[in-house]
Amino acid sequence: MPKRRRKQVLVSANEAPGKDAPGWWKSAVIYQVYPRSFADSNGDGLGDIGGVRARLGHLRDLGVDAIWMSPWYPSPMADAGYDVADFRDIDPVFGTLAEAEALIEEAHAAGIRMIVDIVPNHVSSEHPWFQAALASPDAPERDYFWFRPAHGDHMAGGDNMAGGENMPTNWTGEFGGTTWTQVPDGDWYLHLFTPQQPDLNWEHPVVRAEFESILRFWFDRGVDGIRIDSAALLFKDPALPEVTDGEPHPFHDLDAVHDVYRSWRRVADEYPDRALIGEVWMPDVERFTNYLRPDELHAAFNFDFLGCAWDPALMRACIDRTLEAHAAVGAPPTWVLSNHDVTRHVTRYGRADTTFSFDNNLDRTPVDLELGTRRARAAALLSLSLPGSAYVYQGEELGLWENEHIPEDRIQDPMYARRGHTRDGCRVPLPWSDDEPPFAFTEGGPWLAEPSLAEPSLAEPWLPQPREWKDRTVQAQTGDPNSMLELYRRAIRLRRAEPGLHTPEMSWLDHGPDVLAYTRGPDFACVLNLSGTAVPLPDHVSPLLLSGPLEDGGLLPPDTAAWLRLRQPRSTQRE
Ligand code: NOJ
């Protein structure tokens, strides 16, 4: 098999990452905690901060560098907490501000950084600003939002109140459906998501000042980073044109948004080693990396990779595109396989169509979970060995699949009514131990620490867990060398120890068109077989880690990845 280095791509990943190195976000493994579903310490069926504190040991054992907490603020939960009523407090369902501060401290003591989620595009309709705006058409708070009089010839429908007036535009919302709701005095307000999430007017200086103050509030409490929700949607064309092919989009990626992130960067830079991480869904890679220019955000989620098909040419092109685009702005690439909005990748990789997009609703199309799991194991070794930072969505380390069998009357995601697809299937509470639901999801409460307290009766988890997860609990997988959990633990440990994975570049090895193979540093290689037959490995001293067993003759089976120590260090290899 020819081994030829083809291309070296330089990126700005940390030369020598480590917990105390500046620029920790450049190479960190970041674990997303979706607090409703992580662990429940008070038996109400919903996860909470007490549960995260009780289970912090799991994240320490996994070896992650940072936790990103999805929203934990007071919220009516119209969109599972992405409808925030107060950015400076914690919803009682999750705990208290004091508990949040304790978690930040405990995570830091465990060597884990903390990232909180800020939602600047909209607030909850229960937010005091919106309540004041509703109280009177003359309230100054109306200008913090997008209130407009009836206009045009668009019929009210969907979520809108009855009234027969006309909406200001015919835009389709991000969850589908209309984007305007009428209030009793006849005006309409804009909401790109649900009516309970009115959009803020980012032209208003009060809005801008408020969010800078919110950033400081959390930075002052020691958080190390901010995840920015719907980061590209903040500005709207005030002329409110319709969405027209070939014309600038009226609310996606307007240039003015960059000025906001430049000012947020100045705030972050007032503190040592803080990071801003954007949720930017953007097919155009150049427009995407505009958000990562040196005076803007530090990093952004790689949705290109998350949506990419399990296909050698497409994956390689995606990796190249990512590395080159990030190198151009000096930002670290990120590698993301799953999150709380998308189909879990064990399921996605087990389907005939292995892409993800909100437009290709593949719910309940046939899934081969054994194949999906094999590919997910290989994908873990890929995403954890590419230059940059890697994200792990809670449960990914357990090999959880999408629960596609949630009874309709238990679906909570507001997207379901508008788009016919629910994100609840990836938000199901984690299985920790035991042989049946709730798999100790609801354990970990004060009664464990104080046996004198009577154990309260436990509510059912807010979404049903598949019974088959009994083999996927943390307890069942711990110590099993073939488990997904032990694969992640070993991979993250090796990633930290392996000098090659601390270098900023990777070089492709030519191993045929259907095999992704690359080196990091002089003698580390990752090989991922995306072909239909087993292939020989490059000449190596020993496999460092395999996502599955080799075949006879040391061949790497399809849908399997290997981390290798090469026999001939790269500096002595012939071109
Ligand atoms: C993106 C978040 O990840 C998603 O969960 C939420 O529904 C929307 N933004 C609206 O905040």
Side-chain angles (χ1 to χ4, degrees):
M1 186 68 61
K3 287 201 302 285
R4 187 164 52 84
R5 280 201 314 288
R6 292 230 299 234
K7 186 156 46 162
Q8 195 171 73
V9 187
L10 286 175
V11 298
S12 65
N14 237 359
E15 288 281 347
K19 287 204 176 292
D20 299 319
W24 58 272
W25 62 87
K26 295 178 185 170
S27 58
V29 177
I30 299 174
Y31 185 95
Q32 181 187 357
V33 169
Y34 192 68
R36 300 166 78 77
S37 302
F38 187 75
D40 169 20
S41 73
N42 63 2
D44 64 357
L46 279 166
D48 46 42
I49 296 174
V52 184
R53 293 173 69 191
R55 300 286 189 183
L56 206 52
H58 171 63
L59 303 182
R60 193 199 44 227
D61 295 349
L62 189 58
V64 300
D65 300 292
I67 297 172
W68 148 32
M69 290 291 287
S70 279
W72 51 5
Y73 316 106
S75 164
M77 305 288 169
D79 185 19
Y82 282 93
D83 46 321
V84 179
D86 178 359
F87 282 98
R88 295 183 182 83
D89 206 349
I90 300 293
D91 195 284
V93 135
F94 296 131
T96 62
L97 188 56
E99 284 182 90
E101 288 168 343
L103 172 61
I104 294 168
E105 207 171 293
E106 288 159 9
H108 284 167
I112 299 173
R113 290 186 156 89
M114 287 290 296
I115 298 166
V116 296
D117 207 325
I118 296 291
V119 187
N121 181 67
H122 45 268
V123 292
S124 161
S125 49
E126 298 296 317
H127 188 285
W129 280 359
F130 194 71
Q131 287 297 308
L134 284 184
S136 152
D138 302 322
E141 286 83 357
R142 280 234 168 170
D143 294 340
Y144 302 173
F145 298 92
W146 286 85
F147 278 85
R148 289 291 180 277
H151 166 77
D153 55 3
H154 311 301
M155 293 309 294
D159 292 300
N160 300 302
M161 294 169 60
E165 296 299 329
N166 298 326
M167 285 181 285
T169 72
N170 200 22
W171 297 346
T172 301
E174 297 293 296
F175 290 165
T178 57
T179 60
W180 298 90
T181 290
Q182 196 171 31
V183 297
D185 59 47
D187 278 1
W188 296 77
Y189 68 89
L190 175 69
H191 49 83
L192 294 184
F193 295 91
T194 70
Q196 294 80 23
Q197 294 164 293
D199 279 49
L200 288 166
N201 170 17
W202 273 87
E203 306 284 354
H204 203 295
V206 170
V207 172
R208 295 178 68 133
E210 170 67 354
F211 275 83
E212 290 184 19
S213 153
I214 291 166
L215 295 188
R216 288 197 174 87
F217 178 88
W218 288 104
F219 285 148
D220 287 341
R221 272 159 188 74
V223 311
D224 304 279
I226 305 280
R227 180 262 188 190
I228 305 164
D229 187 76
S230 302
L233 298 181
L234 271 45
F235 282 82
K236 284 89 195 172
D237 181 340
L240 301 182
E242 289 304 330
V243 177
T244 314
D245 277 349
E247 296 295 320
H249 199 282
F251 57 84
H252 282 177
D253 189 35
L254 270 63
D255 286 337
V257 76
H258 295 288
D259 194 42
V260 169
Y261 297 134
R262 279 190 282 269
S263 65
W264 285 27
R265 178 61 176 258
R266 287 193 290 275
V267 174
D269 285 348
E270 291 168 15
Y271 297 79
D273 226 15
R274 304 300 210 267
L276 300 170
I277 303 161
E279 189 211 17
V280 182
W281 290 86
M282 189 82 51
D284 179 329
V285 94
E286 250 169 54
R287 301 284 313 178
F288 173 80
T289 49
N290 279 347
Y291 289 77
L292 299 174
R293 289 175 291 201
D295 57 349
E296 298 194 38
L297 307 183
H298 298 80
F301 300 97
N302 189 344
F303 294 119
D304 191 15
F305 184 70
L306 179 150
C308 186
W310 190 253
D311 171 278
L314 294 175
M315 281 179 109
R316 183 174 165 145
C318 171
I319 293 167
D320 279 339
R321 209 164 41 237
T322 298
L323 295 177
E324 281 164 23
H326 287 74
V329 287
T334 66
W335 307 102
V336 190
L337 294 165
S338 278
N339 68 27
H340 65 293
D341 290 330
V342 308
T343 308
R344 281 196 178 273
H345 62 275
V346 164
T347 298
R348 173 164 70 89
Y349 286 149
R351 289 181 174 145
D353 182 343
T354 52
T355 60
F356 175 83
S357 102
F358 286 109
D359 299 324
N360 70 352
N361 187 345
L362 299 168
D363 296 357
R364 297 195 187 82
T365 54
V367 180
D368 177 343
L369 285 178
E370 197 263 312
L371 176 66
T373 303
R374 190 159 70 242
R375 290 175 169 173
R377 292 175 64 88
L381 296 199
L382 174 71
S383 64
L384 289 167
S385 66
L386 288 166
S389 74
Y391 284 79
V392 177
Y393 172 50
Q394 68 177 39
E396 170 179 335
E397 80 282 17
L398 304 177
L400 301 187
W401 59 83
E402 188 84 2
N403 183 358
E404 296 195 278
H405 304 287
I406 299 177
E408 195 155 0
D409 61 355
R410 291 195 60 184
I411 290 179
Q412 304 210 10
D413 182 7
M415 186 186 267
Y416 185 64
R418 296 166 178 80
R419 242 175 151 148
H421 163 75
T422 174
R423 300 167 295 175
D424 288 342
C426 68
R427 298 174 173 182
V428 173
L430 293 191
W432 291 94
S433 60
D434 301 346
D435 285 334
E436 52 187 44
F439 299 118
F441 168 70
T442 51
E443 283 185 3
W447 55 88
L448 285 186
E450 283 183 60
S452 59
L453 291 176
E455 183 172 327
S457 62
L458 304 177
E460 247 194 288
W462 70 285
L463 288 173
Q465 300 159 303
R467 301 197 81 78
E468 297 80 7
W469 281 2
K470 71 177 181 353
D471 298 330
R472 306 252 166 167
T473 65
V474 174
Q475 186 185 47
Q477 297 194 47
T478 295
D480 173 357
N482 299 320
S483 69
M484 185 74 90
L485 178 57
E486 292 297 350
L487 180 76
Y488 267 85
R489 284 178 177 162
R490 270 181 287 159
I492 294 172
R493 219 178 298 134
L494 261 172
R495 175 183 165 101
R496 189 161 287 161
E498 185 59 34
L501 293 177
H502 300 183
T503 59
E505 81 275 7
M506 63 170 279
S507 304
W508 288 111
L509 293 170
D510 189 353
H511 222 61
D514 296 334
V515 177
L516 297 186
Y518 50 90
T519 59
R520 299 282 315 274
D523 61 1
F524 176 94
C526 176
V527 183
L528 166 57
N529 183 4
L530 289 151
S531 77
T533 53
V535 296
L537 288 168
D539 195 14
H540 59 281
V541 185
S542 56
L544 300 169
L545 192 55
L546 296 166
S547 71
L550 297 180
E551 288 187 7
D552 287 350
L555 298 182
L556 185 71
D559 300 314
T560 307
W563 284 3
L564 305 172
R565 169 96 53 241
L566 294 176
R567 188 174 299 282
Q568 201 180 16
R570 221 178 56 188
S571 54
T572 62
Q573 283 173 16
R574 289 214 327 267
E575 281 296 323

